[in-house]
Each structure stands twice: as C-alpha cells, then as structure tokens.
Amino acid sequence: MVRLSALGDVAILEPVVRQRAVANRDVLFYVAGPPRLAPLFGGMENVQYVPTERRQKPRELYKKLSTLRPDMVADMHHVLRVIGLDWLFRLRGVEVHSIRKHTRKVIPSWKRYDEVFDRCGLKGCTVEGDYWKVKPAMGRKRVVGVAPFAQHEGKIWPLEKMEQLVGMLSVRGYSVMLFGSKEEAPILEAWAGKYEGVESLAGKFSFEEELDRIKALDVMVSMDSANMHFASCMGVPVVSIWGATHPCRGFYGWRQNPAWAVQRVMDCRPCSKYGNKPCKIGGYPCMGGIEVKEVMERIEGLMGEK
C-alpha cells in the first residue's frame, strides 16, 4: 500500500488496514507512508510499516519498494509520482490497483481505500460499527484534548475563541491537553501558563507518546485536521469545528457521530474540498460565526451521553 501524504489521509487508512489485516491473516501487508506515522500502524502482526519520504521520483520509490518483492500493489494515493511507480511495477508484471479519487459520487475516504482492497481480491470485513463513545468517568477528572490548528486558514476557528473555550474548560474543572507543532508551541504555552489544569504538549513528545496521550482523552476538540483522524484511530470521540470544508465531503473522522460536528449552515459552504481556497466574501464568517457557548454545549452534551 502506498499513501505518502497527507497526515490526515494516511490516518484514515489505518483502521481500514487494521480490519483487513484481521480478515486476511495469511497476507503480509506493507504500508509505505510518512516516517512520522509509523507508530500509528503498530501492534498488527501481519502489517509492516515502510517509512517513505514523499518527495521522491518514481524510480527512487521503485528502487526502495521493489526490494519488498510485492505480489500486488495498492495505490492509495494516485498522484503523479505514485502513478509513475505503478507503471514501473506493471512493466515487471506486478498487479496494481489504484484508488478512484475523481468520481462524482461523494463517499467517505475510508470507503475508497476499502474498495481498492476489494479489487485486490482480499477477504472483506465489517468496517462500519457504532460511533465512538466517552469512557465512564469512574470518579476521575475528565480530560479534554484541544487541537486548535489546521493546514489552511479556512479550517481554523479564530484563536481568540479557542482560547476562551480553553479558559471555560479550565473554570469548569476539566483537565485540558493542548496539541500542536513546535511552531505553534508559543501560543499554546501562553494558554497553559494562563489557565489552571491546562498543559501544552506541543513539541515536547514523540508522535508515539502523543498517541498515548490522545488515547487517554475523554474527548478531542479539533478542526478538520489530522488530529481529528488520530483521535478517531485511538477510539476517542471528537467535537470537530468546520468552516470552509464540510464533513459530508468524505473526510469526516472514522466512527465519529455526525451530530458532534459544529458548523454553520451557509449557502457558500463548502467553498473548498480541502479548505485551501480564499474566502469569496472575506473573513471566513463560517468560522467566526460559531460561538464558544455552542462548542462548550456540544462537549458537555457528549460527556453526558450514556
């Protein structure tokens, strides 16, 4: 399997691989993906992760992956460099099946991956199930993760509102863990120093250690970002905040309840599939119009679910 980017898209692949690996224990699966995400695919007996840098020419990719001597290749990415890799494998008689990205029908990304496995002739499995649920409190303090950033401006809730939410969570007695990159650490450290019970994890831990902390959360609050998918892989419910993009476009978190997505109904939404286009009316009111109280109510409603 080849999926070289982006982090969220590779994370969506993980639960599908896990299900297929269980259903096909006589098959050895190799996953070629970003080096950072190797821990995400750990603990599966018949799955091996092959850390692969994304910016390689097809011949470089082929030289690396042909040493695995695959019987079959599942192209889960289908960009130019991977299409070139597919061609080189086919020249040598290796069967290749590719994801169908450009179809008019909107289906979840995980299902597109699953269809590739079907075409590979692998045994199927039940990949759908109940929505993730909050773990019983059992007298302990609830822990909420907050991941305020995303790759594009159209997918980021105004930071002043996110800080207000963090402060509100602190006042109401929740433990809060802040997730972000080294570059985002100064903002998150300032929040952690300002509010009681708030800790910034940005730039302090390895990805594997971050996954352990995500697994311990009761709820994650995130944008339409990789952290939504990391939490989904760990079985953690996510309250996600949406602006330029929309959960119905196929990139919603694995087994996340659609009712947990916070968004405004606007005629111009979604203005972009990936959130990378400028706002046509200026200022992304789709994000700015979402109130702190609304997100807080969604978190507390989720905590109270039986």
Side-chain angles (χ1 to χ4, degrees):
M1 290 155 285
V2 184
R3 179 74 217 199
L4 305 182
S5 65
L7 298 184
D9 294 288
V10 180
I12 294 171
L13 178 61
E14 186 272 347
V16 185
V17 171
R18 189 173 293 275
Q19 297 276 349
R20 288 286 182 164
V22 170
N24 298 269
R25 295 189 182 276
D26 57 335
V27 175
L28 176 59
F29 294 85
Y30 290 104
V31 182
R36 180 189 172 192
L37 297 191
L40 200 62
F41 291 82
M44 295 182 252
E45 290 181 5
N46 54 333
V47 176
Q48 294 184 24
Y49 198 80
V50 185
T52 307
E53 296 294 342
R54 60 179 294 191
R55 301 204 179 276
Q56 295 184 56
K57 294 179 180 178
R59 288 193 179 277
E60 293 173 325
L61 285 170
Y62 178 76
K63 186 177 180 181
K64 178 183 180 73
L65 300 180
S66 62
T67 60
L68 305 174
R69 307 181 73 85
D71 298 296
M72 196 175 295
V73 173
D75 172 4
M76 302 295 194
H77 202 168
H78 213 58
V79 292
L80 283 176
R81 59 186 177 276
V82 182
I83 292 171
L85 172 71
D86 297 345
W87 181 77
L88 290 170
F89 270 118
R90 286 190 177 108
L91 275 180
R92 287 149 182 82
V94 178
E95 190 176 335
V96 179
H97 296 277
S98 303
I99 190 170
R100 293 169 180 164
K101 296 168 69 173
H102 304 294
T103 57
R104 290 187 178 182
K105 185 178 179 182
V106 178
I107 61 174
S109 288
W110 69 262
K111 200 169 185 65
R112 293 185 192 274
Y113 295 144
D114 204 49
E115 288 174 348
V116 179
F117 287 131
D118 284 339
R119 294 199 297 277
C120 288
L122 296 173
K123 294 175 186 173
C125 53
T126 303
V127 291
E128 294 185 272
D130 294 335
Y131 299 132
W132 297 129
K133 290 183 171 58
V134 176
K135 300 180 285 286
M138 303 296 287
R140 61 180 176 80
K141 199 172 185 179
R142 291 290 197 185
V143 185
V144 178
V146 175
F149 298 98
Q151 189 173 3
H152 303 292
E153 183 185 356
K155 300 201 292 184
I156 300 176
W157 197 33
L159 290 181
E160 61 272 19
K161 292 197 172 190
M162 185 60 89
E163 183 183 350
Q164 290 175 34
L165 179 70
V166 169
M168 193 177 292
L169 288 166
S170 170
V171 167
R172 298 193 183 187
Y174 294 99
S175 290
V176 181
M177 291 187 181
L178 305 176
F179 293 85
S181 66
K182 286 183 180 180
E183 294 72 26
E184 296 151 358
I187 294 173
L188 302 184
E189 287 290 349
W191 293 359
K194 194 172 179 181
Y195 303 105
E196 186 178 349
V198 178
E199 178 188 3
S200 171
L201 277 61
K204 295 180 180 178
F205 301 98
S206 69
F207 181 60
E208 187 171 11
E209 291 170 325
E210 278 198 6
L211 286 180
D212 287 338
R213 283 158 176 78
I214 289 174
K215 193 183 297 185
L217 298 176
D218 290 290
V219 173
M220 170 69 88
V221 180
S222 83
M223 308 298 100
D224 170 17
S225 67
N227 279 293
M228 172 178 64
H229 299 297
F230 297 153
S232 300
C233 291
M234 298 295 104
V236 175
V238 178
V239 171
S240 51
I241 304 171
W242 298 75
T245 57
H246 197 286
C248 290
R249 292 300 294 268
F251 298 101
Y252 197 49
W254 168 265
R255 290 185 179 173
Q256 298 295 342
N257 190 328
W260 302 337
V262 184
Q263 53 189 328
R264 288 190 71 194
V265 177
M266 297 180 66
D267 291 339
C268 58
R269 286 191 63 237
C271 61
S272 170
K273 185 175 182 180
Y274 304 110
N276 56 345
K277 295 181 180 179
C279 179
K280 293 179 180 178
I281 56 179
Y284 295 101
C286 54
M287 275 296 194
I290 295 173
E291 299 300 332
V292 177
K293 181 182 177 182
E294 183 182 357
V295 179
M296 190 69 220
E297 287 174 351
R298 199 69 54 92
I299 295 168
E300 293 194 320
L302 181 54
M303 293 288 193
E305 281 187 353
K306 295 184 179 179

mmCIF file of all heavy atoms in Angstrom, residues 233-267:
data_model
loop_
_atom_site.group_PDB
_atom_site.id
_atom_site.type_symbol
_atom_site.label_atom_id
_atom_site.label_comp_id
_atom_site.label_asym_id
_atom_site.label_seq_id
_atom_site.Cartn_x
_atom_site.Cartn_y
_atom_site.Cartn_z
ATOM 1 N N CYS A 233 -8.564 7.125 15.224
ATOM 2 C CA CYS A 233 -7.823 5.860 15.233
ATOM 3 C C CYS A 233 -7.677 5.305 16.654
ATOM 4 O O CYS A 233 -7.586 4.090 16.848
ATOM 5 C CB CYS A 233 -6.435 6.050 14.623
ATOM 6 S SG CYS A 233 -6.434 6.360 12.848
ATOM 7 N N MET A 234 -7.637 6.200 17.637
ATOM 8 C CA MET A 234 -7.473 5.785 19.026
ATOM 9 C C MET A 234 -8.812 5.532 19.723
ATOM 10 O O MET A 234 -8.858 5.240 20.911
ATOM 11 C CB MET A 234 -6.701 6.855 19.815
ATOM 12 C CG MET A 234 -5.283 7.119 19.332
ATOM 13 S SD MET A 234 -4.180 5.691 19.544
ATOM 14 C CE MET A 234 -4.072 5.083 17.860
ATOM 15 N N GLY A 235 -9.924 5.662 18.990
ATOM 16 C CA GLY A 235 -11.243 5.396 19.559
ATOM 17 C C GLY A 235 -11.764 6.499 20.458
ATOM 18 O O GLY A 235 -12.578 6.254 21.352
ATOM 19 N N VAL A 236 -11.323 7.733 20.228
ATOM 20 C CA VAL A 236 -11.721 8.868 21.068
ATOM 21 C C VAL A 236 -12.761 9.720 20.341
ATOM 22 O O VAL A 236 -12.543 10.120 19.193
ATOM 23 C CB VAL A 236 -10.490 9.741 21.415
ATOM 24 C CG1 VAL A 236 -10.895 10.991 22.182
ATOM 25 C CG2 VAL A 236 -9.480 8.931 22.216
ATOM 26 N N PRO A 237 -13.896 10.036 20.979
ATOM 27 C CA PRO A 237 -14.896 10.918 20.357
ATOM 28 C C PRO A 237 -14.322 12.304 20.099
ATOM 29 O O PRO A 237 -13.535 12.813 20.905
ATOM 30 C CB PRO A 237 -16.018 10.976 21.402
ATOM 31 C CG PRO A 237 -15.812 9.785 22.273
ATOM 32 C CD PRO A 237 -14.340 9.547 22.303
ATOM 33 N N VAL A 238 -14.722 12.912 18.990
ATOM 34 C CA VAL A 238 -14.197 14.226 18.596
ATOM 35 C C VAL A 238 -15.338 15.210 18.374
ATOM 36 O O VAL A 238 -16.293 14.921 17.655
ATOM 37 C CB VAL A 238 -13.365 14.126 17.296
ATOM 38 C CG1 VAL A 238 -12.864 15.508 16.882
ATOM 39 C CG2 VAL A 238 -12.189 13.168 17.471
ATOM 40 N N VAL A 239 -15.227 16.373 19.012
ATOM 41 C CA VAL A 239 -16.072 17.514 18.673
ATOM 42 C C VAL A 239 -15.262 18.325 17.668
ATOM 43 O O VAL A 239 -14.250 18.935 18.018
ATOM 44 C CB VAL A 239 -16.420 18.363 19.912
ATOM 45 C CG1 VAL A 239 -17.112 19.655 19.490
ATOM 46 C CG2 VAL A 239 -17.308 17.579 20.865
ATOM 47 N N SER A 240 -15.659 18.292 16.408
ATOM 48 C CA SER A 240 -14.891 18.953 15.353
ATOM 49 C C SER A 240 -15.602 20.226 14.898
ATOM 50 O O SER A 240 -16.824 20.287 14.870
ATOM 51 C CB SER A 240 -14.684 18.009 14.169
ATOM 52 O OG SER A 240 -15.906 17.433 13.751
ATOM 53 N N ILE A 241 -14.794 21.234 14.530
ATOM 54 C CA ILE A 241 -15.308 22.536 14.136
ATOM 55 C C ILE A 241 -14.995 22.748 12.664
ATOM 56 O O ILE A 241 -13.841 22.638 12.247
ATOM 57 C CB ILE A 241 -14.685 23.654 15.005
ATOM 58 C CG1 ILE A 241 -14.950 23.358 16.501
ATOM 59 C CG2 ILE A 241 -15.249 25.017 14.631
ATOM 60 C CD1 ILE A 241 -14.210 24.276 17.453
ATOM 61 N N TRP A 242 -16.040 23.068 11.861
ATOM 62 C CA TRP A 242 -15.910 23.106 10.407
ATOM 63 C C TRP A 242 -16.256 24.472 9.855
ATOM 64 O O TRP A 242 -17.211 25.107 10.292
ATOM 65 C CB TRP A 242 -16.834 22.050 9.786
ATOM 66 C CG TRP A 242 -16.483 20.651 10.188
ATOM 67 C CD1 TRP A 242 -16.720 20.062 11.399
ATOM 68 C CD2 TRP A 242 -15.825 19.676 9.395
ATOM 69 N NE1 TRP A 242 -16.243 18.781 11.403
ATOM 70 C CE2 TRP A 242 -15.693 18.501 10.179
ATOM 71 C CE3 TRP A 242 -15.342 19.664 8.079
ATOM 72 C CZ2 TRP A 242 -15.096 17.343 9.699
ATOM 73 C CZ3 TRP A 242 -14.748 18.503 7.597
ATOM 74 C CH2 TRP A 242 -14.619 17.363 8.400
ATOM 75 N N GLY A 243 -15.468 24.914 8.852
ATOM 76 C CA GLY A 243 -15.718 26.190 8.202
ATOM 77 C C GLY A 243 -15.801 26.043 6.697
ATOM 78 O O GLY A 243 -16.852 25.739 6.141
ATOM 79 N N ALA A 244 -14.674 26.246 6.027
ATOM 80 C CA ALA A 244 -14.655 26.194 4.565
ATOM 81 C C ALA A 244 -14.944 24.799 4.023
ATOM 82 O O ALA A 244 -15.463 24.644 2.917
ATOM 83 C CB ALA A 244 -13.295 26.672 4.042
ATOM 84 N N THR A 245 -14.608 23.780 4.782
ATOM 85 C CA THR A 245 -14.843 22.392 4.373
ATOM 86 C C THR A 245 -16.112 21.854 5.028
ATOM 87 O O THR A 245 -16.724 22.522 5.855
ATOM 88 C CB THR A 245 -13.641 21.511 4.730
ATOM 89 O OG1 THR A 245 -13.378 21.605 6.146
ATOM 90 C CG2 THR A 245 -12.397 21.943 3.966
ATOM 91 N N HIS A 246 -16.470 20.638 4.686
ATOM 92 C CA HIS A 246 -17.717 20.059 5.203
ATOM 93 C C HIS A 246 -17.527 18.563 5.447
ATOM 94 O O HIS A 246 -16.937 17.868 4.608
ATOM 95 C CB HIS A 246 -18.842 20.276 4.183
ATOM 96 C CG HIS A 246 -20.220 20.092 4.741
ATOM 97 N ND1 HIS A 246 -20.740 18.845 5.043
ATOM 98 C CD2 HIS A 246 -21.177 21.002 5.057
ATOM 99 C CE1 HIS A 246 -21.966 19.001 5.517
ATOM 100 N NE2 HIS A 246 -22.253 20.292 5.545
ATOM 101 N N PRO A 247 -18.024 18.044 6.578
ATOM 102 C CA PRO A 247 -17.838 16.624 6.878
ATOM 103 C C PRO A 247 -18.456 15.689 5.852
ATOM 104 O O PRO A 247 -18.007 14.549 5.696
ATOM 105 C CB PRO A 247 -18.495 16.453 8.259
ATOM 106 C CG PRO A 247 -19.304 17.686 8.487
ATOM 107 C CD PRO A 247 -18.667 18.763 7.696
ATOM 108 N N CYS A 248 -19.476 16.145 5.133
ATOM 109 C CA CYS A 248 -20.135 15.273 4.156
ATOM 110 C C CYS A 248 -19.344 15.107 2.860
ATOM 111 O O CYS A 248 -19.756 14.354 1.982
ATOM 112 C CB CYS A 248 -21.536 15.800 3.842
ATOM 113 S SG CYS A 248 -22.682 15.619 5.217
ATOM 114 N N ARG A 249 -18.204 15.808 2.738
ATOM 115 C CA ARG A 249 -17.401 15.670 1.537
ATOM 116 C C ARG A 249 -16.499 14.430 1.575
ATOM 117 O O ARG A 249 -15.732 14.193 0.651
ATOM 118 C CB ARG A 249 -16.538 16.923 1.325
ATOM 119 C CG ARG A 249 -17.338 18.170 0.977
ATOM 120 C CD ARG A 249 -18.149 18.036 -0.306
ATOM 121 N NE ARG A 249 -17.305 17.910 -1.485
ATOM 122 C CZ ARG A 249 -16.893 18.923 -2.230
ATOM 123 N NH1 ARG A 249 -17.263 20.159 -1.911
ATOM 124 N NH2 ARG A 249 -16.151 18.723 -3.292
ATOM 125 N N GLY A 250 -16.584 13.653 2.651
ATOM 126 C CA GLY A 250 -15.868 12.378 2.669
ATOM 127 C C GLY A 250 -14.691 12.293 3.603
ATOM 128 O O GLY A 250 -14.047 11.259 3.703
ATOM 129 N N PHE A 251 -14.380 13.389 4.345
ATOM 130 C CA PHE A 251 -13.192 13.384 5.196
ATOM 131 C C PHE A 251 -13.530 13.454 6.685
ATOM 132 O O PHE A 251 -12.724 13.928 7.480
ATOM 133 C CB PHE A 251 -12.274 14.553 4.811
ATOM 134 C CG PHE A 251 -11.770 14.471 3.406
ATOM 135 C CD1 PHE A 251 -12.343 15.237 2.404
ATOM 136 C CD2 PHE A 251 -10.731 13.613 3.078
ATOM 137 C CE1 PHE A 251 -11.885 15.164 1.094
ATOM 138 C CE2 PHE A 251 -10.263 13.524 1.775
ATOM 139 C CZ PHE A 251 -10.839 14.301 0.785
ATOM 140 N N TYR A 252 -14.715 12.993 7.060
ATOM 141 C CA TYR A 252 -15.077 13.010 8.483
ATOM 142 C C TYR A 252 -14.331 11.904 9.210
ATOM 143 O O TYR A 252 -13.880 10.927 8.604
ATOM 144 C CB TYR A 252 -16.592 12.824 8.621
ATOM 145 C CG TYR A 252 -17.135 13.233 9.974
ATOM 146 C CD1 TYR A 252 -16.790 14.457 10.530
ATOM 147 C CD2 TYR A 252 -17.992 12.417 10.697
ATOM 148 C CE1 TYR A 252 -17.281 14.847 11.762
ATOM 149 C CE2 TYR A 252 -18.499 12.799 11.925
ATOM 150 C CZ TYR A 252 -18.135 14.018 12.461
ATOM 151 O OH TYR A 252 -18.611 14.405 13.673
ATOM 152 N N GLY A 253 -14.192 12.060 10.523
ATOM 153 C CA GLY A 253 -13.439 11.092 11.327
ATOM 154 C C GLY A 253 -14.113 9.725 11.374
ATOM 155 O O GLY A 253 -15.339 9.611 11.429
ATOM 156 N N TRP A 254 -13.300 8.690 11.398
ATOM 157 C CA TRP A 254 -13.747 7.296 11.458
ATOM 158 C C TRP A 254 -14.609 7.043 12.693
ATOM 159 O O TRP A 254 -14.190 7.290 13.823
ATOM 160 C CB TRP A 254 -12.512 6.404 11.477
ATOM 161 C CG TRP A 254 -12.700 4.971 11.802
ATOM 162 C CD1 TRP A 254 -12.559 4.389 13.033
ATOM 163 C CD2 TRP A 254 -13.015 3.903 10.893
ATOM 164 N NE1 TRP A 254 -12.785 3.041 12.947
ATOM 165 C CE2 TRP A 254 -13.057 2.714 11.651
ATOM 166 C CE3 TRP A 254 -13.269 3.855 9.524
ATOM 167 C CZ2 TRP A 254 -13.343 1.484 11.067
ATOM 168 C CZ3 TRP A 254 -13.539 2.623 8.952
ATOM 169 C CH2 TRP A 254 -13.579 1.460 9.713
ATOM 170 N N ARG A 255 -15.834 6.607 12.483
ATOM 171 C CA ARG A 255 -16.795 6.284 13.550
ATOM 172 C C ARG A 255 -17.127 7.472 14.455
ATOM 173 O O ARG A 255 -17.482 7.304 15.627
ATOM 174 C CB ARG A 255 -16.308 5.104 14.391
ATOM 175 C CG ARG A 255 -16.349 3.793 13.622
ATOM 176 C CD ARG A 255 -15.992 2.604 14.477
ATOM 177 N NE ARG A 255 -16.070 1.378 13.689
ATOM 178 C CZ ARG A 255 -15.687 0.181 14.104
ATOM 179 N NH1 ARG A 255 -15.200 0.032 15.312
ATOM 180 N NH2 ARG A 255 -15.789 -0.878 13.328
ATOM 181 N N GLN A 256 -17.012 8.680 13.925
ATOM 182 C CA GLN A 256 -17.441 9.859 14.676
ATOM 183 C C GLN A 256 -18.893 10.171 14.338
ATOM 184 O O GLN A 256 -19.298 10.116 13.180
ATOM 185 C CB GLN A 256 -16.550 11.058 14.343
ATOM 186 C CG GLN A 256 -15.087 10.882 14.702
ATOM 187 C CD GLN A 256 -14.844 10.754 16.201
ATOM 188 O OE1 GLN A 256 -15.690 11.121 17.031
ATOM 189 N NE2 GLN A 256 -13.683 10.217 16.564
ATOM 190 N N ASN A 257 -19.662 10.492 15.367
ATOM 191 C CA ASN A 257 -21.074 10.815 15.186
ATOM 192 C C ASN A 257 -21.211 12.154 14.455
ATOM 193 O O ASN A 257 -20.641 13.154 14.895
ATOM 194 C CB ASN A 257 -21.747 10.898 16.560
ATOM 195 C CG ASN A 257 -23.248 10.980 16.477
ATOM 196 O OD1 ASN A 257 -23.803 11.531 15.533
ATOM 197 N ND2 ASN A 257 -23.923 10.439 17.472
ATOM 198 N N PRO A 258 -21.957 12.212 13.351
ATOM 199 C CA PRO A 258 -22.130 13.483 12.632
ATOM 200 C C PRO A 258 -22.701 14.603 13.504
ATOM 201 O O PRO A 258 -22.465 15.781 13.231
ATOM 202 C CB PRO A 258 -23.108 13.120 11.511
ATOM 203 C CG PRO A 258 -22.922 11.655 11.307
ATOM 204 C CD PRO A 258 -22.618 11.085 12.660
ATOM 205 N N ALA A 259 -23.425 14.234 14.557
ATOM 206 C CA ALA A 259 -24.009 15.250 15.440
ATOM 207 C C ALA A 259 -22.944 15.983 16.249
ATOM 208 O O ALA A 259 -23.220 17.031 16.840
ATOM 209 C CB ALA A 259 -25.010 14.591 16.400
ATOM 210 N N TRP A 260 -21.717 15.449 16.291
ATOM 211 C CA TRP A 260 -20.656 16.103 17.062
ATOM 212 C C TRP A 260 -19.911 17.164 16.255
ATOM 213 O O TRP A 260 -19.050 17.857 16.789
ATOM 214 C CB TRP A 260 -19.650 15.060 17.563
ATOM 215 C CG TRP A 260 -20.275 13.991 18.403
ATOM 216 C CD1 TRP A 260 -21.439 14.059 19.109
ATOM 217 C CD2 TRP A 260 -19.763 12.667 18.622
ATOM 218 N NE1 TRP A 260 -21.690 12.864 19.745
ATOM 219 C CE2 TRP A 260 -20.680 11.990 19.473
ATOM 220 C CE3 TRP A 260 -18.636 11.985 18.194
ATOM 221 C CZ2 TRP A 260 -20.488 10.676 19.885
ATOM 222 C CZ3 TRP A 260 -18.439 10.677 18.616
ATOM 223 C CH2 TRP A 260 -19.355 10.035 19.455
ATOM 224 N N ALA A 261 -20.216 17.295 14.977
ATOM 225 C CA ALA A 261 -19.583 18.317 14.144
ATOM 226 C C ALA A 261 -20.288 19.658 14.365
ATOM 227 O O ALA A 261 -21.504 19.745 14.281
ATOM 228 C CB ALA A 261 -19.638 17.921 12.672
ATOM 229 N N VAL A 262 -19.526 20.699 14.649
ATOM 230 C CA VAL A 262 -20.076 22.033 14.875
ATOM 231 C C VAL A 262 -19.843 22.856 13.611
ATOM 232 O O VAL A 262 -18.703 23.002 13.158
ATOM 233 C CB VAL A 262 -19.406 22.726 16.081
ATOM 234 C CG1 VAL A 262 -20.083 24.076 16.351
ATOM 235 C CG2 VAL A 262 -19.475 21.833 17.314
ATOM 236 N N GLN A 263 -20.924 23.388 13.050
ATOM 237 C CA GLN A 263 -20.789 24.127 11.792
ATOM 238 C C GLN A 263 -21.992 25.047 11.581
ATOM 239 O O GLN A 263 -23.053 24.828 12.155
ATOM 240 C CB GLN A 263 -20.657 23.159 10.617
ATOM 241 C CG GLN A 263 -21.773 22.121 10.544
ATOM 242 C CD GLN A 263 -21.506 21.039 9.515
ATOM 243 O OE1 GLN A 263 -20.876 21.283 8.491
ATOM 244 N NE2 GLN A 263 -21.982 19.828 9.765
ATOM 245 N N ARG A 264 -21.810 26.061 10.750
ATOM 246 C CA ARG A 264 -22.897 26.975 10.381
ATOM 247 C C ARG A 264 -23.467 26.565 9.023
ATOM 248 O O ARG A 264 -22.727 26.146 8.127
ATOM 249 C CB ARG A 264 -22.377 28.408 10.278
ATOM 250 C CG ARG A 264 -22.049 29.068 11.612
ATOM 251 C CD ARG A 264 -21.774 30.544 11.398
ATOM 252 N NE ARG A 264 -23.009 31.261 11.054
ATOM 253 C CZ ARG A 264 -23.023 32.495 10.558
ATOM 254 N NH1 ARG A 264 -21.888 33.144 10.337
ATOM 255 N NH2 ARG A 264 -24.160 33.085 10.270
ATOM 256 N N VAL A 265 -24.772 26.701 8.880
ATOM 257 C CA VAL A 265 -25.409 26.465 7.589
ATOM 258 C C VAL A 265 -25.306 27.745 6.779
ATOM 259 O O VAL A 265 -25.873 28.783 7.142
ATOM 260 C CB VAL A 265 -26.889 26.047 7.766
ATOM 261 C CG1 VAL A 265 -27.545 25.891 6.407
ATOM 262 C CG2 VAL A 265 -26.983 24.759 8.570
ATOM 263 N N MET A 266 -24.564 27.696 5.671
ATOM 264 C CA MET A 266 -24.391 28.862 4.802
ATOM 265 C C MET A 266 -24.435 28.408 3.350
ATOM 266 O O MET A 266 -23.942 27.321 3.019
ATOM 267 C CB MET A 266 -23.055 29.556 5.090
ATOM 268 C CG MET A 266 -22.931 30.118 6.507
ATOM 269 S SD MET A 266 -21.337 30.939 6.807
ATOM 270 C CE MET A 266 -21.462 32.348 5.705
ATOM 271 N N ASP A 267 -25.010 29.236 2.501
ATOM 272 C CA ASP A 267 -25.130 28.883 1.085
ATOM 273 C C ASP A 267 -23.772 28.684 0.420
ATOM 274 O O ASP A 267 -23.651 27.929 -0.548
ATOM 275 C CB ASP A 267 -25.904 29.964 0.326
ATOM 276 C CG ASP A 267 -27.375 30.010 0.727
ATOM 277 O OD1 ASP A 267 -27.862 28.989 1.260
ATOM 278 O OD2 ASP A 267 -28.020 31.047 0.525
#
